[in-house]
Amino acid sequence: METLTESIYGSYENALRATMEDMKAKFNEIRDKIRDTKGEKPVDHILSRLKGEESMREKCFRKDYPVSTESAITRVKDAIGIRVVCSFIDDVYKVVDEIKKTPGWKVDVEKDYIRHAKANGYRSYHIILKVPNKYGGGDIDSFYAEIQIRTISMDTWASLEHQMRYKRNIKNQQLIEVELKRCADELASTDVSLQTIRDMITGDNEK
């Protein structure tokens, strides 16, 4: 077990950060490729993070894994996290297609919460990627990264829901959950309407 004074990522922390930066650069290339091909801005912004020490240790403990560097890198699959926030629903799927074409990136898990929303209304496209470790640190030759691709409205709802979910002593919890679900459904309907309007403008609906 790692001591609390050591990084949970051990000798791999720098390699993880370098890999994350490489992935961000690749997502910028994907954004530019789609923009140059379609003539429109497909990605509003890209966020990334290396999972925090406390959060990673807690997740290892919660999943009954040893709280160790090996668990953090090979068993918990979201040490690297990247969120790609797109303008329209179609853009999400264009980004997903480009991810699958990227050499060296292997899809480990894929979940489409846009077409199959969670019960609480959450929508997003999730991919767990296995990517090469080109920066050393030890014998582990690949890292996992969780990629979330979603629209601006999906991201807004998820961020606000996350903030409220961690409030304590909430009154009328059930009513609030119903209202959050209603908001999620309304935003999803708006996303579809905006996609339809864009298709009408660009002529994509005639293809």
Side-chain angles (χ1 to χ4, degrees):
M1 178 182 293
E2 307 298 316
T3 66
L4 291 179
T5 57
E6 298 174 339
S7 168
I8 187 68
Y9 302 114
S11 59
Y12 294 96
E13 182 171 355
N14 289 338
L16 281 162
R17 293 189 184 280
T19 300
M20 182 173 67
E21 291 302 315
D22 284 353
M23 295 185 74
K24 284 171 60 181
K26 183 60 184 178
F27 275 110
N28 284 329
E29 290 179 15
I30 288 172
R31 175 200 62 201
D32 293 345
K33 177 183 177 181
I34 297 172
R35 182 192 61 203
D36 293 345
T37 301
K38 298 294 184 179
E40 297 174 338
K41 179 183 176 184
V43 174
D44 185 76
H45 61 276
I46 300 169
L47 301 173
S48 64
R49 63 99 182 101
L50 187 65
K51 197 174 191 71
E53 289 278 334
E54 183 178 351
S55 180
M56 178 57 80
R57 291 177 187 277
E58 186 277 331
K59 191 163 188 177
C60 288
F61 181 79
R62 176 162 43 88
K63 288 184 169 290
D64 201 27
Y65 299 155
V67 182
S68 66
T69 295
E70 183 178 4
S71 294
I73 294 175
T74 66
R75 302 185 75 176
V76 178
K77 297 185 177 182
D78 65 347
I80 295 172
I82 296 177
R83 183 179 303 160
V84 182
V85 180
C86 297
S87 302
F88 294 90
I89 296 172
D90 274 5
D91 296 328
V92 171
Y93 292 99
K94 289 171 187 172
V95 170
V96 170
D97 287 344
E98 291 298 326
I99 288 172
K100 293 177 179 180
K101 295 176 186 176
T102 300
W105 288 7
K106 180 181 178 181
V107 175
D108 184 69
V109 179
E110 183 176 8
K111 294 183 179 179
D112 186 347
Y113 294 120
I114 297 175
R115 292 191 173 115
H116 308 283
K118 289 189 176 183
N120 67 346
Y122 176 85
R123 289 169 170 84
S124 185
Y125 202 108
H126 288 201
I127 296 178
I128 301 294
L129 289 177
K130 193 172 186 179
V131 300
N133 169 19
K134 300 184 293 185
Y135 296 97
D139 294 332
I140 297 173
D141 61 4
S142 60
F143 298 138
Y144 289 102
E146 182 187 53
I147 315 301
Q148 299 176 352
I149 313 104
R150 57 178 68 149
T151 65
I152 296 168
S153 63
M154 293 172 196
D155 190 56
T156 299
W157 183 91
S159 297
L160 293 174
E161 190 271 347
H162 179 78
Q163 288 182 29
M164 290 185 279
R165 183 157 49 90
Y166 282 92
K167 298 290 184 182
R168 296 294 184 265
N169 301 319
I170 298 175
K171 296 180 180 179
N172 302 317
Q173 179 78 26
Q174 188 172 5
L175 175 61
I176 289 170
E177 289 176 357
V178 169
E179 286 301 300
L180 282 169
K181 173 65 164 57
R182 180 182 62 80
C183 289
D185 292 343
E186 288 179 357
L187 287 169
S189 178
T190 300
D191 261 342
V192 171
S193 296
L194 289 170
Q195 180 69 60
T196 300
I197 292 168
R198 186 174 81 162
D199 289 348
M200 291 171 65
I201 292 170
T202 62
D204 284 352
N205 60 320
E206 297 176 0
K207 293 179 181 179

